[in-house]
Amino acid sequence: MKNTLHLPKVHEDIVDGMRLLASRTTTKDLVYMCGSIRGGSNLLPKDKQAVAWILEDLLDAGTEKYTKDELRSLLSSIGATLSFSCSGERMHFNASCLPEDVDRIVLLIVDCLKNSVFPVNELSLSKKRSVAEYLERKTDTGRMATVALEQALYEKNHPNRPLDVDEAISSTTSVTRADVVAFHKKLGRTGLIFTVAGDIDPKNILVTARKHFSQLPTGSVSLTKAPNPTRRPPQKVLVPIKDKANIDTFVGVRSLIRFTDSRFLAFKVLLSMLGGGGVSTGHLMRTVRERDGLTYGIRAYAADFNEGFDGYFSIWATFAPAVFNKGVETIHKEVRAFFGKGITPALFVAKKEELLGKYLVGLSTTNGLVAALATIALEERDISYLYEFPKLISALTIAEVKEARDLIPLEELSLAAAGTFAK
Amino acid sequence: MKDLVPGISFVRKVGDIREYKLKKNGLTILLALDASSPVAGIMVTYHVGSRNEAVGYTGSTHLLEHLMFKGTKKFAHTRGGADVLEAKGAMLNATTWMDRTNYYEIFPAEFLPFAAEFEASRMRDALITEKDRISEMPVVWNEFERGENLPMEALDKLIWATAYQAHPYHHSTIGWRSDIENVSIERLQQFYDDFYWPNNATVSVVGGVGEREALMLIKKHFGPVPKSPKPIPPMYTTEPPQEGERRVHISRTGPHIFGIGHKIPNAHHPDTAAIVMLGAILNGHKSSRLHRRFIDTASATDVSLFAFPLHDPGLLNIYITFAEGVTHAHIESELKEEYASIITKGVTAAELTQARKFVRTETAEKRDGAYALLSALNEDIATGDWTRFISFPKALHAVTTKDIQRVAKEYLTDSQSTVGWFLGKNV
């Protein structure tokens, strides 16, 4: 394939514990930013994890300089968006704006991260909203099945084990302002990641971003100690929810590796051959959907690798209640068949070409580029990885991909599903 | 003026988009090229959607769209060529909606020749068989079932079905389950033979390819496709006037949702720009009125507003998902208080400025790569006038605070509304 070297130029600044990446794209009037600082729910005891989630919700609810309404009016008046989210290890931010407002948005991000005041009334409203959202999840088949799978895969105190709805509500209702303030004091610039792409002058932006983010305190967040990865015995968890026409179904197992593992790339390619891509290039779509007509969609994916812990492998599919059992049986049968004889040299070569094409297509948008840069930074890779990735894919051997099957022991697959099950 | 490629006439240039017509068969061609991009995309938009269906074959446009991936005479064993393109890393799919069906592929630019050949083959030579209908039907069922799992989608279907009694916007694009199951292959074939012709389609090419090269490829592959032997069947049903408010309820496991749909004019009506700006002021960002009223006060967990400009008069829909302890009546009363405020006092200049800024960023987002551009262009093609892609942002910028107050008064009325309550039940 031609054009594989037609990749964007990225400017980088690593300073004072911060990593800043910027790249110009040809889309006019558009700038996307994303980034994060260390400090997520894993730093807290399980029953206090909601402190991080509430803090995230309140970061733009008023600062020493601006009230909540002033902050929002400021953003709206320039057509910009800014949102925060929280993962296990990090507090993330995402923003979009017009080119002339980048500096102002970075300052606002810094203001929210550093000077939030967490008004008592906003804390109360945030808790009320959160509890309402958790209660809604009880009837959401996708969310309930996801939590069920991850609880089946991870032992009680593992950072990746999510709280169930009742635990999350209990944690949320117990949050006090003092908890939020104390947690906020730990956050800072050490480990900060900032990526920006779009209609920008990358060099200038890195200079101003460095200046503004340097205003953040150093921070005192230490990374959560990763527990020794082990697998739990396989489980089957069915979450009954009335009145549902469709059952969200997950089959998965822990990989026991982290993204730093030398087998990670082969593992991802294996998953793509098994259940990635569209109808044509994933084995599960070709068989469970196209051949058997059992589902509208099925895919295999890797999850929970972002925080430095071992992540897991999963297959997600949706089935009507009447074909649920057959669907699950077929998943197992097809994974076994694929692992047995499905990884052929021809399919492997085709998959590599597909991934290279996808990479080029993905990086051709501002959004795709900023997301790719953020992933590189989160995985603590050198920026050369952006350009090396095609070479790494090309160099991968079929033997390495076959070896990655060992990361998915079929006899240890757990099943989690939510919906209305046929009697 | 001499044609750049013989047999293809230049029609006009609006903004940076050039329109051509393939003389022999009436195919409309749109080019939005960027030679610097390593990526290109092609899309064929057919002017057929669920508005062209009737009782007994609702969902046919969508089911047919699925069957269009089962192969063509030229590419019988590779899903009509989709297998080949997907293996090259193409992002490809098709979507069906009320006014149109589109097929698209985004790929490294060197694969445009194959993609053009593939799409041309699909236009008249698709293999539409009973065997494939039987195997694909449960797949579409499951797509239907996925939608039924989502309370807001279920309520949305009910509101459209109640707001529209005669016009085919009455039924959703996925169709009624029994129609998906029972529609015959002959009916689907007839649907294909009625609507899949070059004179009922627009081919759009974007990204890293030269103009002459793109036109040559289109001529080579789409040129031999004949125009329809008979006129494309018109859809002539109009919705009779609504004479009073309509109300519907669903009682099902899920959260509580209040929904309301207001009749609005079609995409080309002079009021459409003001209605879209009204929607942006009501909802869409954290300073918008409904976010402040419902989310900031923790009365609700989600507010969604849709005001899609369509080929025919459509709906402005608002859905508010709310917590235990709040009632549908309370949410409705609060929403209508917000309406009354705009109708009596108007919106502020600051609100209008904010909405204009968001229009600018949204316009930019529609240019972020081949997919975004094709996807946005597709919706304007569906209205019957693709130049809206260029002209509509300007129309939005020209909207005044008085325009917004006027359209709020004219369209946010009880008598032209359909109210839906999703009465959520716990697990």
Side-chain angles (χ1 to χ4, degrees):
Chain A
M1 185 179 59
K2 300 171 194 167
N3 293 321
T4 42
L5 296 178
H6 192 116
L7 295 173
K9 184 176 180 187
V10 179
H11 297 256
E12 182 175 26
D13 192 5
I14 299 175
V15 59
D16 205 11
M18 303 184 291
R19 189 169 183 198
L20 317 172
L21 299 164
S23 183
R24 179 174 176 77
T25 63
T26 55
T27 309
K28 299 287 177 217
D29 262 1
L30 192 66
V31 181
Y32 287 124
M33 296 173 229
C34 77
S36 59
I37 56 173
R38 283 186 187 147
S41 54
N42 289 346
L43 275 73
L44 295 146
K46 281 283 178 192
D47 63 346
K48 281 287 184 187
Q49 288 200 321
V51 171
W53 307 330
I54 295 289
L55 182 144
E56 162 240 306
D57 192 40
L58 295 180
L59 281 173
D60 65 349
T63 68
E64 290 167 10
K65 194 172 177 184
Y66 302 110
T67 65
K68 181 176 84 174
D69 285 347
E70 285 169 346
L71 259 175
R72 291 176 178 186
S73 296
L74 198 57
L75 286 166
S76 301
S77 68
I78 55 175
T81 61
L82 170 61
S83 61
F84 295 92
S85 59
C86 175
S87 63
E89 293 293 305
R90 286 181 167 268
M91 204 60 69
H92 303 261
F93 51 86
N94 281 278
S96 68
C97 66
L98 295 166
E100 61 267 30
D101 298 316
V102 174
D103 192 54
R104 206 179 329 185
I105 295 300
V106 174
L107 272 172
L108 279 179
I109 293 169
V110 171
D111 191 40
C112 290
L113 290 175
K114 183 184 174 196
N115 302 319
S116 293
V117 291
F118 313 113
V120 173
N121 65 320
E122 291 294 341
L123 172 70
S124 165
L125 289 167
S126 177
K127 288 165 69 172
K128 190 176 168 191
R129 257 192 317 268
S130 297
V131 169
E133 284 170 3
Y134 291 129
L135 289 171
E136 281 172 23
R137 287 184 193 180
K138 284 193 169 187
T139 59
D140 183 325
T141 51
R143 281 178 177 268
M144 291 302 284
T146 304
V147 169
L149 176 74
E150 291 176 355
Q151 289 200 333
L153 298 183
Y154 293 105
E155 61 274 16
K156 196 108 185 159
N157 291 316
H158 192 284
N160 283 348
R161 186 182 191 275
L163 300 183
D164 64 29
V165 169
D166 292 330
E167 289 168 338
I169 289 173
S170 171
S171 179
T172 300
T173 51
S174 74
V175 174
T176 67
R177 186 173 178 280
D179 292 333
V180 176
V181 170
F183 187 60
H184 182 240
K185 277 186 181 161
K186 295 181 179 175
L187 308 185
R189 66 175 184 270
T190 304
L192 178 141
I193 290 166
F194 174 69
T195 62
V196 54
D199 188 3
I200 55 168
D201 176 344
K203 281 185 183 169
N204 282 346
I205 284 191
L206 287 186
V207 171
T208 54
R210 174 182 186 166
K211 183 178 140 198
H212 297 326
F213 283 119
S214 294
Q215 295 174 32
L216 292 172
T218 311
S220 58
V221 173
S222 51
L223 293 176
T224 312
K225 191 171 179 296
N228 287 332
T230 53
R231 288 196 183 100
R232 303 182 71 201
Q235 297 185 45
K236 177 180 176 181
V237 188
L238 303 183
V239 184
I241 302 175
K242 288 178 188 165
D243 300 337
K244 296 296 182 184
N246 180 60
I247 296 172
D248 273 277
T249 308
F250 293 84
V251 173
V253 67
R254 279 171 70 174
S255 69
L256 304 187
I257 63 165
R258 300 174 191 164
F259 59 70
T260 49
D261 192 287
S262 60
R263 294 166 291 176
F264 188 64
L265 186 62
F267 175 66
K268 294 284 288 282
V269 172
L270 174 70
L271 298 197
S272 185
M273 291 182 76
L274 172 63
V279 173
S280 303
T281 56
H283 177 82
L284 293 172
M285 280 290 270
R286 284 200 306 272
T287 52
V288 185
R289 172 176 150 149
E290 284 298 283
R291 186 195 63 203
D292 299 338
L294 288 168
T295 182
Y296 174 64
I298 182 167
R299 69 185 178 93
Y301 63 96
D304 271 355
F305 282 87
N306 291 337
E307 315 290 6
F309 308 122
D310 64 306
Y312 68 88
F313 151 84
S314 180
I315 293 166
W316 168 69
T318 59
F319 297 115
V323 299
F324 169 68
N325 289 330
K326 187 178 177 189
V328 173
E329 281 171 24
T330 307
I331 287 176
H332 283 276
K333 191 180 93 185
E334 287 307 325
V335 176
R336 279 195 302 274
F338 176 74
F339 277 19
K341 292 182 178 172
I343 307 170
T344 64
L347 282 177
F348 177 62
V349 169
K351 176 57 70 175
K352 290 211 285 191
E353 186 169 12
E354 176 205 338
L355 292 174
L356 293 174
K358 272 188 173 167
Y359 191 64
L360 190 68
V361 170
L363 290 179
S364 69
T365 69
T366 307
N367 220 357
L369 177 59
V370 83
L373 296 181
T375 301
I376 284 174
L378 278 170
E379 293 183 355
E380 298 179 358
R381 299 185 194 278
D382 191 90
I383 194 58
S384 61
Y385 189 78
L386 187 76
Y387 312 102
E388 294 293 321
F389 181 78
K391 294 175 196 163
L392 294 173
I393 288 288
S394 298
L396 202 63
T397 67
I398 193 167
E400 289 171 307
V401 170
K402 285 185 174 178
E403 194 183 324
R405 292 175 298 189
D406 295 344
L407 302 170
I408 306 172
L410 302 185
E411 67 284 3
E412 295 191 52
L413 290 169
S414 284
L415 166 70
T420 306
F421 298 96
K423 287 177 183 167
Chain B
M1 195 175 88
K2 194 183 168 197
D3 293 335
L4 186 62
V5 171
I8 295 181
S9 55
F10 174 74
V11 178
R12 57 185 160 172
K13 178 176 183 243
V14 181
D16 59 341
I17 300 176
R18 300 170 79 87
E19 178 182 347
Y20 294 86
K21 187 75 82 179
L22 220 161
K23 294 176 187 173
K24 204 169 155 187
N25 58 23
L27 177 72
T28 299
I29 303 161
L30 300 179
L31 303 182
L33 307 177
D34 170 11
S36 69
S37 174
V39 169
I42 187 170
M43 171 178 73
V44 183
T45 307
Y46 293 95
H47 292 281
V48 57
S50 52
R51 76 186 279 279
N52 302 96
E53 300 165 347
V55 171
Y57 58 100
T58 65
S60 290
T61 322
H62 175 249
L63 183 51
L64 181 61
E65 175 225 296
H66 277 241
L67 296 184
M68 296 287 281
F69 283 92
K70 298 300 182 184
T72 68
K73 287 177 188 167
K74 188 179 273 184
F75 303 104
H77 304 296
T78 53
R79 295 199 310 124
D83 283 351
V84 176
L85 281 171
E86 203 176 306
K88 302 297 181 190
M91 174 201 289
L92 63 87
N93 209 337
T95 71
T96 306
W97 210 30
M98 298 174 180
D99 302 325
R100 52 70 182 167
T101 311
N102 71 318
Y103 299 82
Y104 65 84
E105 297 88 35
I106 318 293
F107 36 74
E110 69 213 67
F111 298 115
L112 178 62
F114 183 84
E117 184 180 11
F118 159 42
E119 284 300 349
S121 167
R122 178 145 66 177
M123 185 173 271
R124 286 306 320 149
D125 288 336
L127 300 172
I128 300 167
T129 67
E130 175 65 0
K131 178 174 164 281
D132 287 332
R133 185 191 72 83
I134 296 289
S135 71
E136 196 64 16
M137 191 176 59
V139 171
V140 177
W141 269 357
N142 191 235
E143 192 177 357
F144 172 89
E145 286 152 355
R146 280 188 182 195
E148 285 297 302
N149 261 30
L150 305 173
M152 194 193 298
E153 189 165 320
L155 185 59
D156 186 64
K157 281 182 195 171
L158 186 60
I159 285 180
W160 280 91
T162 309
Y164 285 87
Q165 305 289 296
H167 189 284
Y169 286 168
H170 170 80
H171 65 269
S172 70
T173 298
I174 194 86
W176 304 119
R177 185 180 173 116
S178 51
D179 287 356
I180 300 168
E181 182 177 356
N182 292 304
V183 67
S184 68
I185 194 66
E186 291 77 17
R187 191 69 194 78
L188 294 173
Q189 180 69 51
Q190 187 191 328
F191 217 69
Y192 181 65
D193 290 341
D194 280 345
F195 294 104
Y196 279 67
W197 295 98
N199 46 314
N200 194 42
T202 300
V203 173
S204 306
V205 177
V206 304
V209 59
E211 185 177 12
R212 190 162 187 281
E213 181 192 355
L215 292 175
M216 290 286 285
L217 282 170
I218 290 169
K219 182 185 173 186
K220 178 182 175 186
H221 296 299
F222 289 90
V225 183
K227 68 179 179 185
S228 63
K230 55 184 183 178
I232 304 298
M235 201 297 286
Y236 44 75
T237 305
T238 57
E239 182 65 18
Q242 183 170 337
E243 298 168 308
E245 182 188 67
R246 296 170 188 169
R247 285 185 172 266
V248 286
H249 291 178
I250 304 178
S251 182
R252 194 189 284 182
T253 297
H256 301 302
I257 307 175
F258 170 84
I260 189 165
H262 297 279
K263 291 266 169 66
I264 57 172
N266 71 21
H268 306 295
H269 192 280
D271 286 346
T272 296
I275 292 168
V276 169
M277 292 297 265
L278 169 65
I281 286 169
L282 278 171
N283 198 49
H285 52 91
K286 288 180 176 177
S287 286
S288 58
R289 290 186 175 226
L290 300 185
H291 188 97
R292 290 159 95 118
R293 184 176 281 264
F294 292 109
I295 306 295
D296 280 357
T297 58
S299 307
T301 52
D302 182 70
V303 179
S304 300
L305 184 150
F306 308 98
F308 300 116
L310 297 173
H311 187 281
D312 301 327
L315 292 179
L316 181 154
N317 289 350
I318 297 171
Y319 296 97
I320 301 169
T321 308
F322 57 93
E324 293 289 341
V326 184
T327 65
H328 289 82
H330 173 75
I331 294 287
E332 183 169 352
S333 160
E334 291 267 316
L335 178 66
K336 291 189 173 171
E337 200 174 295
E338 202 60 63
Y339 288 177
S341 165
I342 295 178
I343 290 166
T344 56
K345 298 176 195 162
V347 300
T348 65
E351 285 180 304
L352 182 62
T353 304
Q354 290 170 7
R356 283 180 179 156
K357 285 281 187 179
F358 280 110
V359 167
R360 191 174 152 201
T361 51
E362 282 170 12
T363 304
E365 284 166 3
K366 289 177 181 176
R367 298 277 188 172
D368 189 24
Y371 174 74
L373 177 52
L374 286 175
S375 178
L377 192 54
N378 185 46
E379 302 311 336
D380 288 318
I381 293 169
T383 68
D385 178 12
W386 69 265
T387 65
R388 287 183 83 258
F389 185 78
I390 304 296
S391 63
F392 197 59
K394 293 174 188 165
L396 292 172
H397 274 282
V399 169
T400 65
T401 53
K402 283 190 175 173
D403 292 332
I404 293 169
Q405 187 175 15
R406 179 179 55 76
V407 297
K409 189 175 178 183
E410 184 161 350
Y411 298 106
L412 299 182
T413 61
D414 288 345
S415 68
Q416 296 301 298
S417 73
T418 301
V419 175
W421 288 11
F422 192 102
L423 303 160
K425 293 190 285 185
N426 289 329
V427 182

